[in-house]
Amino acid sequence: MRIPLLAATAFLATLTASAQVSSYLVEKRTYTEQTQQDTAPTLKGVYEARFAVFGSNLAGLTPVRITTLPVGSLAAAPVNASYTNPNWETIYSTNSKATLDQQFANGAYALQVGGATPSINLGAGGSFTDKYPDVLPLLTGGTWSGGALLIDPTLTSYTFNFNGDQVAAYTSGGRISVTLMSPTAQHAESIYSTTFGVTQSALNSYTINPTLTGMIGGQTYTLELEYSLYTGQGLVGGTVPKAGAFTYISQIQVTAVPEPSTCAVAAGFIALLGAIVWRKRRALGAC
């Protein structure tokens, strides 16, 4: 069946119109790692520049490009983003903050997507200085062993405690994210994730239900605790948020293991079954 030209054109227009951009982001990220209880995380030597367009039904948009880079950047424009359902995103990674800053200087970036060309300022003030959070993300408390945090996957409630309330600069806007990633997942693929937009330094804990995460006993997962501070916040077209961000991401290995009491109950149950089987076999042997 042939579709009339006008009908086909209207259909394509509907697809394009269904694309909804929810936000634009230019971000620098520094990764750290925590391996012990209440011990300051260490730098992992991973530094990233991230350019992202978030929303829904974005596949039909023209390729997203970063068309203008700040003066002093060694990277050449345009920088092309790739579509990964449901967002457009590109990430440049290096093992040196100095190299990252040389390739992508702080300053004004211009993106091109779907006919819009938002400009996003990365950096604070007229000199575009770094604006990383005051402290590195740190989990406090919990049970640790072998460099990993231990969580019982059979619990219906587990609270992560952290030092987010020490980031005084959150009064100017930012976010805290808690993401639990599966053992085989690539970056940004998670079995549990939540993000809080923060405008005050008050968030220092978050509670999850481990039974709803799909955690499996004996498996090791990666927890990412993320603190971000925003710069250059504004609206594109009067409705769509845009921002620059400076982010610390602390990675913590999480091992799913039952609590000792759970193990004791299981061991007792197995011992009871063993005793029943032994008695039955003994009774049969006496016949």
Side-chain angles (χ1 to χ4, degrees):
M1 179 181 69
R2 298 183 62 183
I3 301 176
L5 179 58
L6 289 177
T9 302
F11 177 68
L12 291 175
T14 300
L15 287 180
T16 303
S18 65
Q20 296 291 326
V21 175
S22 61
S23 61
Y24 303 89
L25 179 69
V26 174
E27 180 180 33
K28 285 186 176 178
R29 306 195 288 196
T30 296
Y31 284 81
T32 68
E33 182 178 38
Q34 182 180 351
T35 57
Q36 298 182 57
Q37 177 182 345
D38 300 332
T39 301
T42 57
L43 295 173
K44 292 190 67 174
V46 178
Y47 304 86
E48 294 180 343
R50 180 191 187 203
F51 308 92
V53 178
F54 304 101
S56 58
N57 303 316
L58 301 184
L61 292 178
T62 55
V64 174
R65 301 191 304 167
I66 296 85
T67 58
T68 302
L69 276 64
V71 174
S73 297
L74 295 182
V79 178
N80 295 313
S82 300
Y83 177 73
T84 303
N85 186 34
N87 307 313
W88 285 92
E89 183 178 59
T90 188
I91 296 175
Y92 171 87
S93 183
T94 182
N95 60 4
S96 163
K97 182 180 184 300
T99 300
L100 181 72
D101 291 338
Q102 289 172 353
Q103 292 294 316
F104 298 96
N106 292 353
Y109 286 82
L111 281 65
Q112 185 180 79
V113 52
T117 54
S119 177
I120 300 175
N121 291 335
L122 180 65
S127 57
F128 299 108
T129 57
D130 285 352
K131 192 181 179 182
Y132 287 95
D134 308 80
V135 296
L136 298 178
L138 173 70
L139 278 186
T140 58
T143 302
W144 296 71
S145 179
L149 175 68
L150 307 183
I151 296 181
D152 183 354
T154 66
L155 294 176
T156 57
S157 178
Y158 184 89
T159 299
F160 296 108
N161 296 296
F162 42 85
N163 62 339
D165 57 342
Q166 297 180 21
V167 186
Y170 270 132
T171 53
S172 62
R175 72 176 186 270
I176 289 179
S177 297
V178 179
T179 303
L180 189 62
M181 300 163 58
S182 69
T184 58
Q186 298 298 315
H187 185 76
E189 294 179 345
S190 63
I191 60 173
Y192 186 89
S193 182
T194 188
T195 298
F196 303 89
V198 183
T199 55
Q200 58 182 354
S201 54
L203 188 64
N204 59 9
S205 66
Y206 183 71
T207 300
I208 68 170
N209 182 341
T211 63
L212 300 181
T213 65
M215 294 176 70
I216 300 173
Q219 296 280 354
T220 297
Y221 301 80
T222 299
L223 177 72
E224 289 192 344
L225 180 59
E226 179 178 332
Y227 296 173
S228 296
L229 288 179
Y230 293 148
T231 67
Q233 292 172 274
L235 297 175
V236 178
T239 57
V240 182
K242 66 175 183 177
F246 291 86
T247 300
Y248 284 134
I249 299 176
S250 187
Q251 295 183 322
I252 300 102
Q253 297 303 300
V254 174
T255 301
V257 292
E259 291 288 346
S261 58
T262 304
C263 294
V265 171
F269 181 69
I270 293 173
L272 177 61
L273 286 179
I276 293 173
V277 171
W278 179 79
R279 288 176 180 175
K280 285 186 176 180
R281 287 180 176 174
R282 186 177 180 184
L284 289 174
C287 295

